[in-house]
Amino acid sequence: MPSRIAIVDDDPLLREIVSDYLASQGYDTSPCDGGAALRALIAAGPAPDCVILDLVMPGEDGLSVLRWLR
């Protein structure tokens, strides 16, 4: 089973580029547009193995999301 990676970024183009690249390398990717989308992804389970997290996002920043993940 491939590792599942969540990509959390408010920039749709960057999110798509990273997601497409990782998917081409055999990873199962889950793009999220912010902290709320990541929380919904984790609640739906199973949790991702890795999270690539943008720190500078409008609304809830990446550091707040990181504190929640921890």
Side-chain angles (χ1 to χ4, degrees), residues 9-48:
D9 199 309
D10 61 315
D11 182 337
L13 180 60
L14 184 59
R15 200 171 52 237
E16 180 183 354
I17 290 170
V18 173
S19 181
D20 289 348
Y21 174 75
L22 291 172
S24 75
Q25 299 301 307
Y27 294 99
D28 178 17
T29 62
S30 300
C32 300
D33 63 358
L38 178 63
R39 285 184 179 87
L41 176 75
I42 291 173

PDB file of all heavy atoms in Angstrom, residues 9-48:
ATOM      1  N   ASP A   9      -2.191  23.535   1.183  1.00  0.00           N
ATOM      2  CA  ASP A   9      -1.723  24.819   0.653  1.00  0.00           C
ATOM      3  C   ASP A   9      -2.909  25.581   0.100  1.00  0.00           C
ATOM      4  O   ASP A   9      -3.807  24.977  -0.489  1.00  0.00           O
ATOM      5  CB  ASP A   9      -0.688  24.587  -0.451  1.00  0.00           C
ATOM      6  CG  ASP A   9       0.159  25.812  -0.716  1.00  0.00           C
ATOM      7  OD1 ASP A   9      -0.413  26.899  -0.914  1.00  0.00           O
ATOM      8  OD2 ASP A   9       1.398  25.684  -0.717  1.00  0.00           O
ATOM      9  N   ASP A  10      -2.927  26.901   0.294  1.00  0.00           N
ATOM     10  CA  ASP A  10      -4.032  27.708  -0.214  1.00  0.00           C
ATOM     11  C   ASP A  10      -3.882  28.040  -1.693  1.00  0.00           C
ATOM     12  O   ASP A  10      -4.829  28.454  -2.329  1.00  0.00           O
ATOM     13  CB  ASP A  10      -4.175  28.998   0.610  1.00  0.00           C
ATOM     14  CG  ASP A  10      -2.930  29.860   0.547  1.00  0.00           C
ATOM     15  OD1 ASP A  10      -1.829  29.319   0.680  1.00  0.00           O
ATOM     16  OD2 ASP A  10      -3.070  31.095   0.397  1.00  0.00           O
ATOM     17  N   ASP A  11      -2.716  27.825  -2.268  1.00  0.00           N
ATOM     18  CA  ASP A  11      -2.472  28.093  -3.686  1.00  0.00           C
ATOM     19  C   ASP A  11      -2.837  26.851  -4.506  1.00  0.00           C
ATOM     20  O   ASP A  11      -2.140  25.831  -4.436  1.00  0.00           O
ATOM     21  CB  ASP A  11      -1.002  28.451  -3.887  1.00  0.00           C
ATOM     22  CG  ASP A  11      -0.659  28.803  -5.319  1.00  0.00           C
ATOM     23  OD1 ASP A  11      -1.386  28.376  -6.245  1.00  0.00           O
ATOM     24  OD2 ASP A  11       0.348  29.500  -5.520  1.00  0.00           O
ATOM     25  N   PRO A  12      -3.931  26.912  -5.281  1.00  0.00           N
ATOM     26  CA  PRO A  12      -4.377  25.716  -6.008  1.00  0.00           C
ATOM     27  C   PRO A  12      -3.360  25.183  -7.012  1.00  0.00           C
ATOM     28  O   PRO A  12      -3.219  23.975  -7.170  1.00  0.00           O
ATOM     29  CB  PRO A  12      -5.658  26.156  -6.714  1.00  0.00           C
ATOM     30  CG  PRO A  12      -5.877  27.578  -6.387  1.00  0.00           C
ATOM     31  CD  PRO A  12      -4.798  28.052  -5.473  1.00  0.00           C
ATOM     32  N   LEU A  13      -2.633  26.066  -7.686  1.00  0.00           N
ATOM     33  CA  LEU A  13      -1.649  25.613  -8.675  1.00  0.00           C
ATOM     34  C   LEU A  13      -0.504  24.877  -8.002  1.00  0.00           C
ATOM     35  O   LEU A  13      -0.104  23.791  -8.441  1.00  0.00           O
ATOM     36  CB  LEU A  13      -1.124  26.802  -9.487  1.00  0.00           C
ATOM     37  CG  LEU A  13      -0.078  26.464 -10.549  1.00  0.00           C
ATOM     38  CD1 LEU A  13      -0.648  25.475 -11.573  1.00  0.00           C
ATOM     39  CD2 LEU A  13       0.407  27.725 -11.238  1.00  0.00           C
ATOM     40  N   LEU A  14       0.029  25.428  -6.930  1.00  0.00           N
ATOM     41  CA  LEU A  14       1.119  24.779  -6.209  1.00  0.00           C
ATOM     42  C   LEU A  14       0.670  23.441  -5.626  1.00  0.00           C
ATOM     43  O   LEU A  14       1.381  22.429  -5.710  1.00  0.00           O
ATOM     44  CB  LEU A  14       1.639  25.694  -5.098  1.00  0.00           C
ATOM     45  CG  LEU A  14       2.840  25.200  -4.314  1.00  0.00           C
ATOM     46  CD1 LEU A  14       4.018  24.959  -5.239  1.00  0.00           C
ATOM     47  CD2 LEU A  14       3.207  26.196  -3.252  1.00  0.00           C
ATOM     48  N   ARG A  15      -0.528  23.424  -5.074  1.00  0.00           N
ATOM     49  CA  ARG A  15      -1.095  22.186  -4.520  1.00  0.00           C
ATOM     50  C   ARG A  15      -1.197  21.116  -5.605  1.00  0.00           C
ATOM     51  O   ARG A  15      -0.833  19.962  -5.400  1.00  0.00           O
ATOM     52  CB  ARG A  15      -2.469  22.521  -3.934  1.00  0.00           C
ATOM     53  CG  ARG A  15      -2.998  21.563  -2.954  1.00  0.00           C
ATOM     54  CD  ARG A  15      -4.259  22.059  -2.261  1.00  0.00           C
ATOM     55  NE  ARG A  15      -5.304  22.499  -3.155  1.00  0.00           N
ATOM     56  CZ  ARG A  15      -5.861  23.712  -3.134  1.00  0.00           C
ATOM     57  NH1 ARG A  15      -5.486  24.605  -2.253  1.00  0.00           N
ATOM     58  NH2 ARG A  15      -6.816  24.024  -3.972  1.00  0.00           N
ATOM     59  N   GLU A  16      -1.646  21.500  -6.792  1.00  0.00           N
ATOM     60  CA  GLU A  16      -1.791  20.563  -7.904  1.00  0.00           C
ATOM     61  C   GLU A  16      -0.438  20.061  -8.401  1.00  0.00           C
ATOM     62  O   GLU A  16      -0.265  18.866  -8.659  1.00  0.00           O
ATOM     63  CB  GLU A  16      -2.544  21.236  -9.051  1.00  0.00           C
ATOM     64  CG  GLU A  16      -2.742  20.334 -10.243  1.00  0.00           C
ATOM     65  CD  GLU A  16      -3.437  21.034 -11.405  1.00  0.00           C
ATOM     66  OE1 GLU A  16      -3.879  22.191 -11.253  1.00  0.00           O
ATOM     67  OE2 GLU A  16      -3.522  20.413 -12.466  1.00  0.00           O
ATOM     68  N   ILE A  17       0.539  20.946  -8.514  1.00  0.00           N
ATOM     69  CA  ILE A  17       1.875  20.557  -8.991  1.00  0.00           C
ATOM     70  C   ILE A  17       2.506  19.545  -8.047  1.00  0.00           C
ATOM     71  O   ILE A  17       3.019  18.506  -8.471  1.00  0.00           O
ATOM     72  CB  ILE A  17       2.777  21.800  -9.160  1.00  0.00           C
ATOM     73  CG1 ILE A  17       2.304  22.641 -10.347  1.00  0.00           C
ATOM     74  CG2 ILE A  17       4.238  21.386  -9.336  1.00  0.00           C
ATOM     75  CD1 ILE A  17       2.967  23.998 -10.445  1.00  0.00           C
ATOM     76  N   VAL A  18       2.478  19.835  -6.753  1.00  0.00           N
ATOM     77  CA  VAL A  18       3.071  18.931  -5.764  1.00  0.00           C
ATOM     78  C   VAL A  18       2.317  17.602  -5.735  1.00  0.00           C
ATOM     79  O   VAL A  18       2.925  16.524  -5.722  1.00  0.00           O
ATOM     80  CB  VAL A  18       3.101  19.589  -4.359  1.00  0.00           C
ATOM     81  CG1 VAL A  18       3.560  18.598  -3.304  1.00  0.00           C
ATOM     82  CG2 VAL A  18       4.010  20.805  -4.361  1.00  0.00           C
ATOM     83  N   SER A  19       0.999  17.670  -5.775  1.00  0.00           N
ATOM     84  CA  SER A  19       0.192  16.466  -5.751  1.00  0.00           C
ATOM     85  C   SER A  19       0.450  15.596  -6.975  1.00  0.00           C
ATOM     86  O   SER A  19       0.631  14.380  -6.865  1.00  0.00           O
ATOM     87  CB  SER A  19      -1.287  16.847  -5.673  1.00  0.00           C
ATOM     88  OG  SER A  19      -2.084  15.697  -5.634  1.00  0.00           O
ATOM     89  N   ASP A  20       0.490  16.207  -8.155  1.00  0.00           N
ATOM     90  CA  ASP A  20       0.742  15.453  -9.389  1.00  0.00           C
ATOM     91  C   ASP A  20       2.120  14.803  -9.380  1.00  0.00           C
ATOM     92  O   ASP A  20       2.272  13.652  -9.789  1.00  0.00           O
ATOM     93  CB  ASP A  20       0.604  16.354 -10.615  1.00  0.00           C
ATOM     94  CG  ASP A  20      -0.831  16.751 -10.905  1.00  0.00           C
ATOM     95  OD1 ASP A  20      -1.759  16.162 -10.307  1.00  0.00           O
ATOM     96  OD2 ASP A  20      -1.021  17.663 -11.741  1.00  0.00           O
ATOM     97  N   TYR A  21       3.124  15.545  -8.916  1.00  0.00           N
ATOM     98  CA  TYR A  21       4.471  14.986  -8.877  1.00  0.00           C
ATOM     99  C   TYR A  21       4.540  13.780  -7.937  1.00  0.00           C
ATOM    100  O   TYR A  21       5.066  12.721  -8.299  1.00  0.00           O
ATOM    101  CB  TYR A  21       5.501  16.030  -8.457  1.00  0.00           C
ATOM    102  CG  TYR A  21       6.867  15.415  -8.279  1.00  0.00           C
ATOM    103  CD1 TYR A  21       7.632  15.071  -9.384  1.00  0.00           C
ATOM    104  CD2 TYR A  21       7.366  15.127  -7.018  1.00  0.00           C
ATOM    105  CE1 TYR A  21       8.869  14.457  -9.235  1.00  0.00           C
ATOM    106  CE2 TYR A  21       8.591  14.516  -6.856  1.00  0.00           C
ATOM    107  CZ  TYR A  21       9.339  14.189  -7.971  1.00  0.00           C
ATOM    108  OH  TYR A  21      10.557  13.575  -7.811  1.00  0.00           O
ATOM    109  N   LEU A  22       4.006  13.944  -6.732  1.00  0.00           N
ATOM    110  CA  LEU A  22       4.064  12.844  -5.763  1.00  0.00           C
ATOM    111  C   LEU A  22       3.249  11.636  -6.238  1.00  0.00           C
ATOM    112  O   LEU A  22       3.656  10.491  -6.045  1.00  0.00           O
ATOM    113  CB  LEU A  22       3.596  13.319  -4.393  1.00  0.00           C
ATOM    114  CG  LEU A  22       4.543  14.297  -3.697  1.00  0.00           C
ATOM    115  CD1 LEU A  22       3.900  14.869  -2.437  1.00  0.00           C
ATOM    116  CD2 LEU A  22       5.867  13.648  -3.376  1.00  0.00           C
ATOM    117  N   ALA A  23       2.116  11.889  -6.875  1.00  0.00           N
ATOM    118  CA  ALA A  23       1.313  10.788  -7.417  1.00  0.00           C
ATOM    119  C   ALA A  23       2.081  10.052  -8.508  1.00  0.00           C
ATOM    120  O   ALA A  23       2.015   8.820  -8.599  1.00  0.00           O
ATOM    121  CB  ALA A  23      -0.010  11.321  -7.957  1.00  0.00           C
ATOM    122  N   SER A  24       2.846  10.786  -9.324  1.00  0.00           N
ATOM    123  CA  SER A  24       3.639  10.139 -10.376  1.00  0.00           C
ATOM    124  C   SER A  24       4.767   9.289  -9.801  1.00  0.00           C
ATOM    125  O   SER A  24       5.283   8.404 -10.482  1.00  0.00           O
ATOM    126  CB  SER A  24       4.211  11.184 -11.339  1.00  0.00           C
ATOM    127  OG  SER A  24       5.299  11.878 -10.756  1.00  0.00           O
ATOM    128  N   GLN A  25       5.114   9.546  -8.545  1.00  0.00           N
ATOM    129  CA  GLN A  25       6.160   8.769  -7.872  1.00  0.00           C
ATOM    130  C   GLN A  25       5.579   7.606  -7.063  1.00  0.00           C
ATOM    131  O   GLN A  25       6.296   6.922  -6.340  1.00  0.00           O
ATOM    132  CB  GLN A  25       6.990   9.680  -6.959  1.00  0.00           C
ATOM    133  CG  GLN A  25       7.708  10.802  -7.682  1.00  0.00           C
ATOM    134  CD  GLN A  25       8.654  10.280  -8.744  1.00  0.00           C
ATOM    135  OE1 GLN A  25       9.507   9.436  -8.472  1.00  0.00           O
ATOM    136  NE2 GLN A  25       8.509  10.771  -9.962  1.00  0.00           N
ATOM    137  N   GLY A  26       4.269   7.417  -7.165  1.00  0.00           N
ATOM    138  CA  GLY A  26       3.631   6.275  -6.531  1.00  0.00           C
ATOM    139  C   GLY A  26       2.965   6.538  -5.188  1.00  0.00           C
ATOM    140  O   GLY A  26       2.495   5.608  -4.548  1.00  0.00           O
ATOM    141  N   TYR A  27       2.891   7.791  -4.770  1.00  0.00           N
ATOM    142  CA  TYR A  27       2.257   8.117  -3.493  1.00  0.00           C
ATOM    143  C   TYR A  27       0.768   8.370  -3.687  1.00  0.00           C
ATOM    144  O   TYR A  27       0.326   8.817  -4.744  1.00  0.00           O
ATOM    145  CB  TYR A  27       2.901   9.350  -2.859  1.00  0.00           C
ATOM    146  CG  TYR A  27       4.331   9.124  -2.454  1.00  0.00           C
ATOM    147  CD1 TYR A  27       5.383   9.542  -3.265  1.00  0.00           C
ATOM    148  CD2 TYR A  27       4.636   8.474  -1.262  1.00  0.00           C
ATOM    149  CE1 TYR A  27       6.699   9.315  -2.902  1.00  0.00           C
ATOM    150  CE2 TYR A  27       5.947   8.249  -0.893  1.00  0.00           C
ATOM    151  CZ  TYR A  27       6.975   8.668  -1.716  1.00  0.00           C
ATOM    152  OH  TYR A  27       8.269   8.444  -1.355  1.00  0.00           O
ATOM    153  N   ASP A  28       0.004   8.109  -2.656  1.00  0.00           N
ATOM    154  CA  ASP A  28      -1.419   8.418  -2.630  1.00  0.00           C
ATOM    155  C   ASP A  28      -1.538   9.820  -2.042  1.00  0.00           C
ATOM    156  O   ASP A  28      -1.225  10.030  -0.868  1.00  0.00           O
ATOM    157  CB  ASP A  28      -2.147   7.388  -1.765  1.00  0.00           C
ATOM    158  CG  ASP A  28      -3.625   7.653  -1.647  1.00  0.00           C
ATOM    159  OD1 ASP A  28      -4.167   8.424  -2.465  1.00  0.00           O
ATOM    160  OD2 ASP A  28      -4.250   7.087  -0.734  1.00  0.00           O
ATOM    161  N   THR A  29      -1.945  10.794  -2.845  1.00  0.00           N
ATOM    162  CA  THR A  29      -1.977  12.181  -2.383  1.00  0.00           C
ATOM    163  C   THR A  29      -3.390  12.640  -2.078  1.00  0.00           C
ATOM    164  O   THR A  29      -4.354  12.198  -2.703  1.00  0.00           O
ATOM    165  CB  THR A  29      -1.353  13.132  -3.431  1.00  0.00           C
ATOM    166  OG1 THR A  29      -2.111  13.060  -4.629  1.00  0.00           O
ATOM    167  CG2 THR A  29       0.094  12.769  -3.704  1.00  0.00           C
ATOM    168  N   SER A  30      -3.480  13.542  -1.105  1.00  0.00           N
ATOM    169  CA  SER A  30      -4.756  14.144  -0.717  1.00  0.00           C
ATOM    170  C   SER A  30      -4.549  15.646  -0.612  1.00  0.00           C
ATOM    171  O   SER A  30      -4.073  16.148   0.413  1.00  0.00           O
ATOM    172  CB  SER A  30      -5.220  13.591   0.632  1.00  0.00           C
ATOM    173  OG  SER A  30      -5.396  12.211   0.571  1.00  0.00           O
ATOM    174  N   PRO A  31      -4.867  16.396  -1.666  1.00  0.00           N
ATOM    175  CA  PRO A  31      -4.721  17.850  -1.601  1.00  0.00           C
ATOM    176  C   PRO A  31      -5.801  18.479  -0.722  1.00  0.00           C
ATOM    177  O   PRO A  31      -6.966  18.089  -0.776  1.00  0.00           O
ATOM    178  CB  PRO A  31      -4.865  18.306  -3.052  1.00  0.00           C
ATOM    179  CG  PRO A  31      -5.266  17.126  -3.847  1.00  0.00           C
ATOM    180  CD  PRO A  31      -5.248  15.923  -2.974  1.00  0.00           C
ATOM    181  N   CYS A  32      -5.393  19.435   0.113  1.00  0.00           N
ATOM    182  CA  CYS A  32      -6.310  20.140   1.013  1.00  0.00           C
ATOM    183  C   CYS A  32      -6.056  21.636   0.865  1.00  0.00           C
ATOM    184  O   CYS A  32      -4.905  22.064   0.828  1.00  0.00           O
ATOM    185  CB  CYS A  32      -6.070  19.746   2.461  1.00  0.00           C
ATOM    186  SG  CYS A  32      -6.286  17.997   2.808  1.00  0.00           S
ATOM    187  N   ASP A  33      -7.130  22.437   0.841  1.00  0.00           N
ATOM    188  CA  ASP A  33      -6.955  23.878   0.658  1.00  0.00           C
ATOM    189  C   ASP A  33      -6.778  24.646   1.967  1.00  0.00           C
ATOM    190  O   ASP A  33      -6.666  25.857   1.960  1.00  0.00           O
ATOM    191  CB  ASP A  33      -8.107  24.455  -0.149  1.00  0.00           C
ATOM    192  CG  ASP A  33      -9.448  24.309   0.538  1.00  0.00           C
ATOM    193  OD1 ASP A  33      -9.506  23.725   1.644  1.00  0.00           O
ATOM    194  OD2 ASP A  33     -10.446  24.771  -0.037  1.00  0.00           O
ATOM    195  N   GLY A  34      -6.726  23.958   3.090  1.00  0.00           N
ATOM    196  CA  GLY A  34      -6.515  24.626   4.372  1.00  0.00           C
ATOM    197  C   GLY A  34      -6.706  23.675   5.538  1.00  0.00           C
ATOM    198  O   GLY A  34      -6.918  22.467   5.357  1.00  0.00           O
ATOM    199  N   GLY A  35      -6.633  24.244   6.731  1.00  0.00           N
ATOM    200  CA  GLY A  35      -6.732  23.444   7.947  1.00  0.00           C
ATOM    201  C   GLY A  35      -8.055  22.713   8.101  1.00  0.00           C
ATOM    202  O   GLY A  35      -8.096  21.562   8.540  1.00  0.00           O
ATOM    203  N   ALA A  36      -9.153  23.360   7.714  1.00  0.00           N
ATOM    204  CA  ALA A  36     -10.466  22.722   7.842  1.00  0.00           C
ATOM    205  C   ALA A  36     -10.557  21.489   6.945  1.00  0.00           C
ATOM    206  O   ALA A  36     -11.093  20.454   7.356  1.00  0.00           O
ATOM    207  CB  ALA A  36     -11.564  23.714   7.490  1.00  0.00           C
ATOM    208  N   ALA A  37     -10.015  21.579   5.747  1.00  0.00           N
ATOM    209  CA  ALA A  37     -10.032  20.433   4.825  1.00  0.00           C
ATOM    210  C   ALA A  37      -9.160  19.296   5.354  1.00  0.00           C
ATOM    211  O   ALA A  37      -9.518  18.119   5.224  1.00  0.00           O
ATOM    212  CB  ALA A  37      -9.565  20.860   3.438  1.00  0.00           C
ATOM    213  N   LEU A  38      -8.036  19.633   5.980  1.00  0.00           N
ATOM    214  CA  LEU A  38      -7.170  18.604   6.567  1.00  0.00           C
ATOM    215  C   LEU A  38      -7.874  17.924   7.733  1.00  0.00           C
ATOM    216  O   LEU A  38      -7.828  16.693   7.860  1.00  0.00           O
ATOM    217  CB  LEU A  38      -5.842  19.201   7.029  1.00  0.00           C
ATOM    218  CG  LEU A  38      -4.884  18.226   7.697  1.00  0.00           C
ATOM    219  CD1 LEU A  38      -4.448  17.135   6.714  1.00  0.00           C
ATOM    220  CD2 LEU A  38      -3.676  18.957   8.256  1.00  0.00           C
ATOM    221  N   ARG A  39      -8.551  18.699   8.571  1.00  0.00           N
ATOM    222  CA  ARG A  39      -9.294  18.105   9.689  1.00  0.00           C
ATOM    223  C   ARG A  39     -10.377  17.145   9.191  1.00  0.00           C
ATOM    224  O   ARG A  39     -10.566  16.067   9.747  1.00  0.00           O
ATOM    225  CB  ARG A  39      -9.918  19.196  10.545  1.00  0.00           C
ATOM    226  CG  ARG A  39      -8.925  19.912  11.423  1.00  0.00           C
ATOM    227  CD  ARG A  39      -9.649  20.924  12.315  1.00  0.00           C
ATOM    228  NE  ARG A  39      -8.715  21.601  13.170  1.00  0.00           N
ATOM    229  CZ  ARG A  39      -8.046  22.704  12.828  1.00  0.00           C
ATOM    230  NH1 ARG A  39      -8.225  23.252  11.646  1.00  0.00           N
ATOM    231  NH2 ARG A  39      -7.203  23.256  13.673  1.00  0.00           N
ATOM    232  N   ALA A  40     -11.075  17.539   8.131  1.00  0.00           N
ATOM    233  CA  ALA A  40     -12.114  16.673   7.555  1.00  0.00           C
ATOM    234  C   ALA A  40     -11.497  15.401   6.983  1.00  0.00           C
ATOM    235  O   ALA A  40     -12.054  14.306   7.148  1.00  0.00           O
ATOM    236  CB  ALA A  40     -12.879  17.426   6.471  1.00  0.00           C
ATOM    237  N   LEU A  41     -10.357  15.519   6.340  1.00  0.00           N
ATOM    238  CA  LEU A  41      -9.655  14.352   5.785  1.00  0.00           C
ATOM    239  C   LEU A  41      -9.275  13.380   6.892  1.00  0.00           C
ATOM    240  O   LEU A  41      -9.497  12.168   6.780  1.00  0.00           O
ATOM    241  CB  LEU A  41      -8.403  14.808   5.023  1.00  0.00           C
ATOM    242  CG  LEU A  41      -7.520  13.708   4.473  1.00  0.00           C
ATOM    243  CD1 LEU A  41      -8.161  13.083   3.238  1.00  0.00           C
ATOM    244  CD2 LEU A  41      -6.146  14.265   4.121  1.00  0.00           C
ATOM    245  N   ILE A  42      -8.735  13.905   7.976  1.00  0.00           N
ATOM    246  CA  ILE A  42      -8.312  13.051   9.090  1.00  0.00           C
ATOM    247  C   ILE A  42      -9.526  12.436   9.783  1.00  0.00           C
ATOM    248  O   ILE A  42      -9.500  11.255  10.157  1.00  0.00           O
ATOM    249  CB  ILE A  42      -7.427  13.850  10.074  1.00  0.00           C
ATOM    250  CG1 ILE A  42      -6.082  14.157   9.398  1.00  0.00           C
ATOM    251  CG2 ILE A  42      -7.218  13.096  11.376  1.00  0.00           C
ATOM    252  CD1 ILE A  42      -5.178  15.082  10.170  1.00  0.00           C
ATOM    253  N   ALA A  43     -10.602  13.193   9.917  1.00  0.00           N
ATOM    254  CA  ALA A  43     -11.816  12.665  10.552  1.00  0.00           C
ATOM    255  C   ALA A  43     -12.414  11.526   9.730  1.00  0.00           C
ATOM    256  O   ALA A  43     -12.960  10.574  10.289  1.00  0.00           O
ATOM    257  CB  ALA A  43     -12.842  13.778  10.736  1.00  0.00           C
ATOM    258  N   ALA A  44     -12.306  11.618   8.411  1.00  0.00           N
ATOM    259  CA  ALA A  44     -12.835  10.574   7.535  1.00  0.00           C
ATOM    260  C   ALA A  44     -11.967   9.315   7.580  1.00  0.00           C
ATOM    261  O   ALA A  44     -12.442   8.226   7.260  1.00  0.00           O
ATOM    262  CB  ALA A  44     -12.938  11.084   6.104  1.00  0.00           C
ATOM    263  N   GLY A  45     -10.689   9.482   8.011  1.00  0.00           N
ATOM    264  CA  GLY A  45      -9.755   8.392   8.187  1.00  0.00           C
ATOM    265  C   GLY A  45      -9.438   7.637   6.909  1.00  0.00           C
ATOM    266  O   GLY A  45     -10.172   7.736   5.949  1.00  0.00           O
ATOM    267  N   PRO A  46      -8.405   6.888   6.851  1.00  0.00           N
ATOM    268  CA  PRO A  46      -7.308   6.889   7.822  1.00  0.00           C
ATOM    269  C   PRO A  46      -6.444   8.144   7.689  1.00  0.00           C
ATOM    270  O   PRO A  46      -6.437   8.785   6.634  1.00  0.00           O
ATOM    271  CB  PRO A  46      -6.513   5.642   7.443  1.00  0.00           C
ATOM    272  CG  PRO A  46      -6.735   5.479   5.985  1.00  0.00           C
ATOM    273  CD  PRO A  46      -8.146   5.957   5.744  1.00  0.00           C
ATOM    274  N   ALA A  47      -5.739   8.479   8.744  1.00  0.00           N
ATOM    275  CA  ALA A  47      -4.891   9.670   8.752  1.00  0.00           C
ATOM    276  C   ALA A  47      -3.744   9.505   7.765  1.00  0.00           C
ATOM    277  O   ALA A  47      -3.270   8.388   7.539  1.00  0.00           O
ATOM    278  CB  ALA A  47      -4.340   9.914  10.157  1.00  0.00           C
ATOM    279  N   PRO A  48      -3.285  10.610   7.170  1.00  0.00           N
ATOM    280  CA  PRO A  48      -2.149  10.515   6.244  1.00  0.00           C
ATOM    281  C   PRO A  48      -0.869  10.139   6.989  1.00  0.00           C
ATOM    282  O   PRO A  48      -0.729  10.385   8.189  1.00  0.00           O
ATOM    283  CB  PRO A  48      -2.059  11.917   5.642  1.00  0.00           C
ATOM    284  CG  PRO A  48      -2.761  12.808   6.599  1.00  0.00           C
ATOM    285  CD  PRO A  48      -3.787  11.972   7.299  1.00  0.00           C
TER     286      PRO A  48
END
